[in-house]
Amino acid sequence: MKDHEVNERKDTKETILKSAVKLFSRNGYEQTSIRDIANEANINCSMINYHFESKENLLVTILQDLYVSIASIDELSENDTEEKSQLEHYIRSSVQELFRLEGISLLFISEQVHASTPKSRQLITKMEQAHFYRFCKIMDKQRTQLKIKKSDHDFLYHSIFGLVKQMIIKGRRRERLQKHTEKCTVDDIMDYINSNIL
């Protein structure tokens, strides 16, 4: 296969993914058809079937992109003297990825509430567990410094990432209502978390 054909296929696949993220996050998985995605991507429906085989596989591919992105967040080195900075780094990096991938994050939040397919439920559960496990691992290292009981891990995790989810949803609502108010930034969220939660 020639280089330009490989690039063309890659471009088509990317276009399909971007169109699906836009429509799934705006209208929901159930309300979005393959034809809707094809129209948005300005391609033939058969191209979606060729690249992904099904709408479910398309959804799972999108969620896997978020999973890979979140899983690749590095932890600070073990010899970092400021232990609290390890937790802040992990939270900040997670928040940055969720904001960077805002459309996928909205889809993830929607799938958390009501999974559209068994495959997406399985992947969402795997993502939640892996992210929570890493959060707890960092918290365990810092429990004494932060004066946090082990039983507080769940509460802290859901307080922090519940806030982040609300900010992502609020940002989308503002866009829909075409309100041109200032968007909440990662720094705003981190300031709030450090002042009120940690």
Side-chain angles (χ1 to χ4, degrees):
M1 189 180 298
K2 295 176 183 171
D3 285 349
H4 76 280
E5 288 175 342
V6 171
N7 289 336
E8 198 174 291
R9 282 186 181 182
K10 192 176 175 186
D11 289 346
T12 301
K13 200 170 180 178
E14 276 303 307
T15 302
I16 294 167
L17 286 168
K18 283 179 184 171
S19 299
V21 167
K22 181 180 176 181
L23 295 176
F24 287 161
S25 66
R26 188 177 68 200
N27 305 329
Y29 175 83
E30 299 293 340
Q31 285 71 39
T32 303
S33 68
I34 291 283
R35 183 169 300 286
D36 295 333
I37 297 165
N39 289 340
E40 180 70 29
N42 202 24
I43 57 163
N44 191 297
C45 290
S46 63
M47 291 304 290
I48 296 173
N49 291 324
Y50 171 77
H51 286 287
F52 298 98
E53 296 177 7
S54 69
K55 189 168 88 164
E56 182 181 33
N57 284 346
L58 181 52
L59 173 66
V60 169
T61 300
I62 291 165
L63 293 173
Q64 281 174 332
D65 286 348
L66 179 63
Y67 179 62
V68 168
S69 182
I70 294 292
S72 68
I73 294 170
D74 63 319
E75 290 178 31
L76 291 177
S77 91
E78 289 290 329
N79 55 18
D80 194 305
T81 51
E82 281 291 315
E83 286 186 328
K84 189 179 176 187
S85 67
Q86 289 185 355
L87 182 62
E88 287 175 8
H89 171 77
Y90 187 66
I91 294 167
R92 177 180 287 277
S93 298
S94 297
V95 172
Q96 283 171 330
E97 282 306 289
L98 291 169
F99 269 62
R100 185 177 72 80
L101 302 169
E102 187 179 358
I104 301 176
S105 298
L106 280 162
L107 180 57
F108 171 79
I109 294 165
S110 172
E111 289 293 313
Q112 275 186 308
V113 175
H114 174 72
S116 301
T117 74
K119 279 185 186 176
S120 72
R121 166 47 55 213
Q122 190 177 16
L123 185 56
I124 292 286
T125 301
K126 186 177 171 184
M127 289 166 73
E128 289 170 334
Q129 289 172 346
H131 194 259
F132 180 63
Y133 172 79
R134 285 182 75 193
F135 177 86
C136 290
K137 190 174 143 195
I138 295 168
M139 290 289 290
D140 283 342
K141 290 182 203 170
Q142 306 175 18
R143 209 168 43 218
T144 32
Q145 182 193 356
L146 296 172
K147 298 179 179 82
I148 292 168
K149 295 181 281 187
K150 194 171 181 93
S151 59
D152 290 340
H153 287 19
D154 195 56
F155 172 76
L156 280 170
Y157 181 84
H158 291 291
S159 296
I160 291 165
F161 291 102
L163 169 70
V164 173
K165 288 177 196 175
Q166 279 305 109
M167 299 319 308
I168 290 170
I169 292 166
K170 216 173 184 181
R172 175 53 64 95
R173 278 196 200 123
R174 259 196 316 264
E175 281 174 28
R176 280 188 178 161
L177 297 170
Q178 297 182 329
K179 287 187 177 179
H180 299 291
T181 53
E182 276 188 44
K183 271 186 130 179
C184 184
T185 67
V186 173
D187 287 335
D188 294 333
I189 289 179
M190 290 308 298
D191 288 346
Y192 184 86
I193 289 168
N194 282 316
S195 303
N196 299 287
I197 301 176
L198 293 180

